[in-house]
Amino acid sequence: MYPGCLILTVPDGTPVEIGQEWEVDLGAARASACAAIDAMAETLRQTVLTPGAGQIAAYQAKEAQATALLQDSTPTQGEYPDIFNEIGVTADSAAEVAAAVLAAAEKWREFGRKVERARLAGKRAVAGAADAAGIVAARDGLAWPRA
């Protein structure tokens, strides 16, 4: 290293002095780009979900109860406690709560499918890139959906 030299970080994370020859580790660059794509996908998913394993479990329980309740001609609070718990908050009846829960679940799935498509397309483009510039272009050129 020469005093006063400008040091840059290249796409694979290697520090390089200006003028120094370097060879990009394309495998490391691809892995880094794919990790960045995965992280962005998760960030986008979290814009429409409340994070946490407990919250996911609550969503899943409510969705299962909502599906069953809408097929039950005589639903009771004992059978569908999570749905009945939201009467007066989410909607005015158990059937309306169930419908709202299922609509929210489908809205998330629709967005999630778009995120997943972009994520997979990005990783495919990264895998097919011939050089570091192509890898960076594939990572940065994704058209992510908006929530």
Side-chain angles (χ1 to χ4, degrees):
M1 185 149 99
Y2 302 100
C5 283
L6 177 61
I7 305 224
L8 301 174
T9 301
V10 295
D12 71 354
T14 305
V16 177
E17 293 180 33
I18 295 298
Q20 173 187 347
E21 290 186 28
W22 59 280
E23 187 173 320
V24 174
D25 178 344
L26 292 179
R30 282 187 180 94
S32 176
C34 286
I37 289 168
D38 287 341
M40 183 60 178
E42 186 60 17
T43 296
L44 287 172
R45 288 181 186 113
Q46 293 303 315
T47 65
V48 296
L49 288 176
T50 305
Q55 191 61 52
I56 295 297
Y59 288 152
Q60 290 171 337
K62 286 195 303 185
E63 185 176 1
Q65 288 180 30
T67 299
L69 182 140
L70 291 175
Q71 296 173 3
D72 189 338
S73 60
T74 57
T76 65
Q77 184 170 357
E79 294 170 302
Y80 310 104
D82 295 327
I83 301 301
F84 276 79
N85 185 55
E86 293 189 24
I87 294 173
V89 177
T90 300
D92 294 330
S93 72
E96 291 171 327
V97 170
V101 166
L102 294 178
E106 183 50 34
K107 183 177 178 184
W108 179 86
R109 280 191 189 88
E110 181 180 331
F111 179 70
R113 284 188 288 271
K114 291 175 185 176
V115 169
E116 185 66 0
R117 181 172 179 81
R119 185 185 77 83
L120 294 174
K123 291 177 88 169
R124 182 177 184 178
V126 164
D131 56 23
I135 291 169
V136 171
R139 180 199 65 201
D140 294 347
L142 284 174
W144 291 104
R146 294 180 187 223

